[in-house]
Amino acid sequence: MSEQVKDAILLASMPKALNGKEFTYCPGCHHGIVHRLVAELIDEFGLREKTLLVAPVGCSVFAYEFFDVDGTVAPHGRALAVATGMKRAKPEMFVLTYQGDGDLAAIGTAETIHAANRGERVTTVFINNAVYGMTGGQMAPTTLLGMKTTTSPYGRDPKREGYPIHMMEIMRALPGVAYAERVKVSRPQDVPKAKMAIKKAFYAQLLDVGFGIVEVLSTCPTNWGMDPVEASRWLEENMVKEFPLGVYVDKVTEVMKEKGVK
Amino acid sequence: MSEQVKDAILLASMPKALNGKEFTYCPGCHHGIVHRLVAELIDEFGLREKTLLVAPVGCSVFAYEFFDVDGTVAPHGRALAVATGMKRAKPEMFVLTYQGDGDLAAIGTAETIHAANRGERVTTVFINNAVYGMTGGQMAPTTLLGMKTTTSPYGRDPKREGYPIHMMEIMRALPGVAYAERVKVSRPQDVPKAKMAIKKAFYAQLLDVGFGIVEVLSTCPTNWGMDPVEASRWLEENMVKEFPLGVYVDKVTEVMKEKGVK
Amino acid sequence: MEHRIIAAGFGGQGVMLFGQIIALAGMIEDKHVTWLPSYGPEMRGGTANCTVVVSDDPVASPVVDMPNEIAIFNIPSLLKFEPTLAEGGILVMNTSMIDREPQRKDIKVIKIAANDVAEKLGNVKAQNMVMLGAFIETTKVVSKESVFKALEKKMTGKKAAFLDLNKRAVEEGMKLAREQL
Amino acid sequence: MEHRIIAAGFGGQGVMLFGQIIALAGMIEDKHVTWLPSYGPEMRGGTANCTVVVSDDPVASPVVDMPNEIAIFNIPSLLKFEPTLAEGGILVMNTSMIDREPQRKDIKVIKIAANDVAEKLGNVKAQNMVMLGAFIETTKVVSKESVFKALEKKMTGKKAAFLDLNKRAVEEGMKLAREQL
Amino acid sequence: MGEKIMVKGTEAIGEAAIRAGCKVYFGYPITPQSELTEYMSRRMPQEGRVFLQAESEVATVNMMYGASSVGVRVMTSTSSPGFSLMQEGISYMANARLPAVFVDVVRGGPGLGDIQPSQGDYFQVVKGGGHGDYRLPVYSPSSLQEAVELTIHAFDVADKYRTPVVIFADGMLGQMMEPVEFPDPVDPSTLPSKDDWALTGARGRKARYVTSFDIDPYKLEQMNLVLQETYKKIEAEEKKWEEFMTDDAEIIFVAHGTVGRIVKSTVKMAREKGIKAGLFRPISLYPFPYERLAELAEKVDIVMTVEMSAGQMLEDVKLAVMGRAETPFYGRLAGVIPTPAEILEAMMKEIRR
Amino acid sequence: MGEKIMVKGTEAIGEAAIRAGCKVYFGYPITPQSELTEYMSRRMPQEGRVFLQAESEVATVNMMYGASSVGVRVMTSTSSPGFSLMQEGISYMANARLPAVFVDVVRGGPGLGDIQPSQGDYFQVVKGGGHGDYRLPVYSPSSLQEAVELTIHAFDVADKYRTPVVIFADGMLGQMMEPVEFPDPVDPSTLPSKDDWALTGARGRKARYVTSFDIDPYKLEQMNLVLQETYKKIEAEEKKWEEFMTDDAEIIFVAHGTVGRIVKSTVKMAREKGIKAGLFRPISLYPFPYERLAELAEKVDIVMTVEMSAGQMLEDVKLAVMGRAETPFYGRLAGVIPTPAEILEAMMKEIRR
Amino acid sequence: MAKRTLGFIEIDQERCKGCGLCIDACPVNVIKFSEEFNSKGYHPAEYIGEGCIACQFCYYMCPDVCITVYKYKTPALSK
Amino acid sequence: MAKRTLGFIEIDQERCKGCGLCIDACPVNVIKFSEEFNSKGYHPAEYIGEGCIACQFCYYMCPDVCITVYKYKTPALSK
Ligand SMILES: Cc1ncc(C[n+]2csc(CCOP(=O)(O)OP(=O)(O)O)c2C)c(N)n1
Ligand SMILES: Cc1ncc(C[n+]2csc(CCOP(=O)(O)OP(=O)(O)O)c2C)c(N)n1
Ligand code: SF4
Ligand code: SF4
Ligand code: SF4
Ligand code: SF4
Ligand code: SF4
Ligand code: SF4
Ligand SMILES: [Mg+2]
Ligand SMILES: [Mg+2]
């Protein structure tokens, strides 16, 4: 191989902000893809020594063990309160939360909305996989109507279990939000787009504009009971309908232009 | 007097759903006006024997003592969780919460949003007086920018304390909401309008459409440090700008028409 | 000797300051003092009260169920606190705000039209200092000198402008009380 | 006598059912039994295991640190549980899924190409029952008859269609094990 | 009683609750009790009853408050961090005198901890993790059959005394399967009426309210005294424990729940060695069976507490023994389960002292 | 120390915290401690420090977690229901070993209760209201001067042992004014460094994390053992109490906090009657000064506990006295404050027995 | 301006907190503060005795539900 | 179709969980599952050795960061 390598340019390999530890995610779980994007951006911005990562309780509870940055794990749902505490105490740090839908949009609703509404200078990556992955596939606030989970065994019925919650739409009503976009990573073409979205959410913090959040529609092959490729297809066909992709809030691009950053 | 009365038609007097106990509110506090409207509607709908009132923790913590209906007081912020418990257990009852802005929009944010999003068949009257009245005029999530309170002594600065929260605008993003309107009661002309709004929020529950909520912009003369008349003027001039009046969600009027109710 | 004092009235009538000045004056006299306000919803509806203990010994509890000296600034406070006053206790009341009579026969009552007096002095707001003067003259809880020192400590900055008025109000109150003793 | 058993493999390989059938068969034989699954994030990454205790006495703890009999369905489970097996213990492994050799010399190893066998019987899914047959034949934890009764209890409704296949799989597994004893 | 069937602990408790007439279940997933939530999500609608997954444990306990206040039997289950979040609500329910059954499937702590069996919530559950002067009857089963019986009993105790009641379990009990016999469902018409206090709508009577609040401390003190009276009754009537080979014992173990079953093996091992050991297993942790343990302590030199904690029940044991015997302790922490053998070893050390 | 000034209890604590170098304050209003939150909202910005009103107590404790994890001194204050809501977060902080100071201005409970002074949170605060095996150093001041000193001490203890610490106060202490002298502000450069554990960015060193989590129970047990070691050290080094006329006492009162100051009057009244009473006032509730109380108990017949609760500290008193003396109890509940005279009367009843 | 009296109001003066909202609301200015104190210590609102047009505005605005509004069956011109 | 090779990939097969997302993503189908098991018990992904166009899609999609992508400095036609 090494001879072959000499004749070649390295295009893509494990980012430095990952420490190489194997992820604990199931085969094909999108958590890993998003981890890599976040790590790439930490590398590109040179933020490794300034970043504080707040992991949630959820499948990504171990996130802080995979990144080569200082980190902690917040109580379930409270990542944005922990992040607020960090950022207020040390405004010079770059504070990042990484959260699932149960964490951010169920138990953590109040913390999420108020951190966003206060315009905390923190960045949030929000993995919406429509279930509670960690605990075994229970209904999440984002579970689709009709979808069967271990706690909605008869399919989610709005009369009984209510409606899927739309966090980006809610973000639109909160003046403290500087950037909010919903993306997916189920096809290769999506991945650079998702990365650009997260980049803007980084800028929301780095340029002192406000709160930045990116919702990533993601698969949970294990709890959906599908193989990883099938799960990605299912996401395309079902989740995107319920959760329209796109930019919901953008006060960042303008500031980027003003300050001449790209 | 009684002779005079004989020659007259009674136009308006204390509704039956109030038990006559004196309110504990400060002079001129709008809580009392809204109490009376709620009581009038309970009378008009004949709901006295079916109503369960959930009082919050806030100045209206005593509300359940003033109404001649069964009631309770929920832990601070949790009125809509308590109401959910009641309504799920006894769907035939009419369940009503009455909450302040600290209660509903700060500590109770998650309970509020999820009850709304589930479309719980309960009705909520939401008193937005831009401060924590009960505890002595601290900053509320709805405190206006620049406004001085006992915990924002330098005036609310969005960089430090974030922005006033707009619950009706958030309600718009929640599919379970059947009716959401923002009203005020600071001028006599407002009062029948406010009553009609609350009536529709009653219908949201009574006609099984979904969650109904009415936000009433209200004064807190004591903590605003104004006399009651002055406070009403201040509300007109300042609060209405930040919190636009109007109907934010209405799935009720249509159903009312269908069912031929007025 | 322990003075167990309650001052009560509407918020805005300066009953809290009334109590604090007495406590501060007590401290200046090297007595043991505590001051405790009513708080919470008790304060809504606009009424407020505070409890002051001035004692030769360390104060066990700043809470007083049965005061021996009360300063009453409005009607509901009269209704509430008159019955709690210890036998032989002292009631100082602001008759500008109270058009009723005390019921007890076993207490000493001092009546001061404090608002009118203060108005004459130039500012109705000084009515609490008129009451204070009457109160210390009657109860002897602290001396005028200590009260003046306490006022000097409290009234700094913008408030210093009112120092003189307040001192005169205290003296006026003392005079009116003396007339009733 | 106490059998302390661990069965481990990928989720979907039926290791949980494997364990439950043994426990149920034990109950049918009036033995004291417990069954305990792994749970939580241990189960992510697709691996799963369960612990079964079958005993003549009440079971103190359903948790087993050092099993004396293990049924291994995939490579990571072999790596994890082989070292924990008690000296002289029994390891039954599915060689259709495992292309490596056990390291221990002080244990008894039974190798079953369970997938291939099951496939021949008509359904690869029955591989866990092939393993089960081999396992009871080797460990004598419960009898074939009890296992059949347990299967009859478990496989009702739609699953009844597979009962016969499963019984044949058990028998096939027993046969293959016997050949290695 | 029906036939013996193999069920998981979480399911055993869930099914027992259904047979006890539990009408409403609210819950939020957390390992290692999510299977109970899942079981109820399946079974409650089948029975025409209510299941709702709340948005959090804080919401859960307040939904319980609401449902209990209208007079139905209500249950939730959670695990340690979730139970912490319920403390405010439980304190409210205690003072509002609202019956309810809470299942705490305790896991290793503190904080996020792990998800293995533990008894580290003893102080929180038994002494009172919420604010104010209240107590909760707490039952600690050591087998699934007992879990079934205590769950049903818990509903009765809750209604009888108008109090929240806790089933103190752990992940081992919750996850394991064991043979169990279920009793027949209770006949709802035989349950005590709640018409004298529940919020059922002010039809033909004066409006009433359920509250934990009185701004006047003297009135609130009266409410508190009613609670204290209730606790006295509970202490007089509701103590439960098991004794195992205590008759001739020279050393007595005290252990509850799953540790209780483990220590039984230790007792047998000790007896094989000729040491007369016995086990005192408190089943009700509150009310703690002080008196009987005190009696037993008179006759022995050592009363050894074994817990999956750093020694929390130990304080209650000491309060019972009151110096009558030595009170050594052996514990494993944070989700590690002690084996009968290591307990025996610890005991031997104490004897040799 | 400066001159004596009259301050409110809440302000005394707030100012003491500022002088102790508290860099960040998070809080949520609740009577009777809102004045402390208000004081900090005014003073912290003046000092260039951080004040933030959180959306709830749950958010508050988690903001504390965040701020403490980056290495600054942090405080909050609340009252009973709010403290209940903080239990999960406190448990996390204990295991993540995050220093912080919590002020619980206890009010009448349970539930919404009232807003009057109480000590009904003793079990919750002292034994552990959250899940898992952890303890919190708890200090109960009985005067404002002592509140100032203990607040500063609390920050030092928190940092020294890397643990949350609680100031147990009540509405009486919080609301009253009393003369107080403040010490000079601490010089921040003299404070112990947190560079060996705080999250400061992985500059020139390996990345690190602060956590309360390990999925492996054996590793988590190791973390737990570190905690237990810490508690042993705290128990050895941090006990605090006051004795008042205990030298020749024949009856000893045990009372903490504001009740302590009330009982001093009772002691004097008793002595006037010729009864040799004394007071043992625990200042650290955890670690509770068992040994000294045990010594004192040797010499008397009656050790009488007085609390504004149904008898919670009483358990610790019994654990100390261990039957050496009678341990009667007198308590008022739910926000009612006992008077020196009624305590004396209760004592007389016990003596006459 | 011809001052017509179409109805009248009753005020529960003991209940009244003297907030003045009714006074502010009355389009024809027929409510004023009393000189007396009630037992809450407030100067309660008082109907001047004539000129009420029974518009209910005062009732709408009274936060303490002190006001009852009557309309004359036969509208009387003011004295 | 002329099959050009513009680069190549390396796969950390011990790290691979055999999810197949890279295989699905590769536009030129030059990745397949190995016959072997890795020590996680999976059949890891394997580059067939030619035809890679260095598009990085496999890298984008690999959730376990197993893949390194190289581009030849001088694009070689496939053998
Ligand atoms: C207070 C509390 N409640 C519940 C849990 C259990 N719990 C752990 S993760 C989780 C949900 C995870 O779902 P999500 O946030 O969607 O993340 P995912 O695993 O799907 O990535 C829950 C409920 C907990 N740890 N703490
Ligand atoms: C858990 C908890 N936190 C805080 C409080 C204190 N508290 C009582 S009422 C209140 C806020 C009241 O404000 P709002 O809801 O706006 O009602 P208002 O009094 O303004 O009508 C607060 C913070 C409490 N009782 N419980
Ligand atoms: S359970 Fe779902 S979300 Fe969690 S790691 Fe597995 S696939 Fe990913
Ligand atoms: S404090 Fe404000 S909200 Fe509360 S009763 Fe008084 S005026 Fe109304
Ligand atoms: S009813 Fe109308 S006119 Fe009559 S007093 Fe009231 S506000 Fe004035
Ligand atoms: S509005 Fe009501 S309370 Fe206010 S002054 Fe008029 S009558 Fe009195
Ligand atoms: S880089 Fe592109 S062409 Fe090459 S293997 Fe990966 S997906 Fe296929
Ligand atoms: S995407 Fe990664 S983990 Fe999945 S099969 Fe390919 S190399 Fe393996
Ligand atoms: Mg999820
Ligand atoms: Mg408010």
Side-chain angles (χ1 to χ4, degrees), chain A residues 117-203:
Chain A
N117 196 55
R118 281 192 307 263
E120 293 296 336
R121 270 50 172 176
V122 300
T123 301
T124 295
V125 176
F126 167 36
I127 302 294
N128 175 359
N129 58 12
V131 285
Y132 286 15
M134 174 77 149
T135 41
Q138 294 84 9
M139 190 183 78
T142 50
T143 293
L144 305 187
L145 290 183
M147 190 170 166
K148 286 183 187 171
T149 69
T150 51
T151 53
S152 59
Y154 307 109
R156 184 176 193 163
D157 175 348
K159 271 246 177 175
R160 205 170 38 217
E161 287 101 6
Y163 296 87
I165 200 161
H166 293 75
M167 291 310 290
M168 293 304 104
E169 285 79 347
I170 292 177
M171 288 296 140
R172 212 152 34 186
L174 307 177
V177 179
Y179 197 80
E181 182 173 352
R182 188 181 283 127
V183 301
K184 63 183 169 77
V185 292
S186 41
R187 294 176 318 168
Q189 299 87 328
D190 301 330
V191 176
K193 277 190 215 161
K195 185 170 169 182
M196 180 51 78
I198 300 175
K199 188 171 185 173
K200 293 214 170 162
F202 272 47
Y203 270 129

Side-chain angles (χ1 to χ4, degrees), chain B residues 95-112:
Chain B
V95 181
L96 188 68
T97 78
Y98 184 102
Q99 305 179 250
D101 41 16
D103 195 76
L104 179 140
I107 190 168
T109 307
E111 287 73 16
T112 303

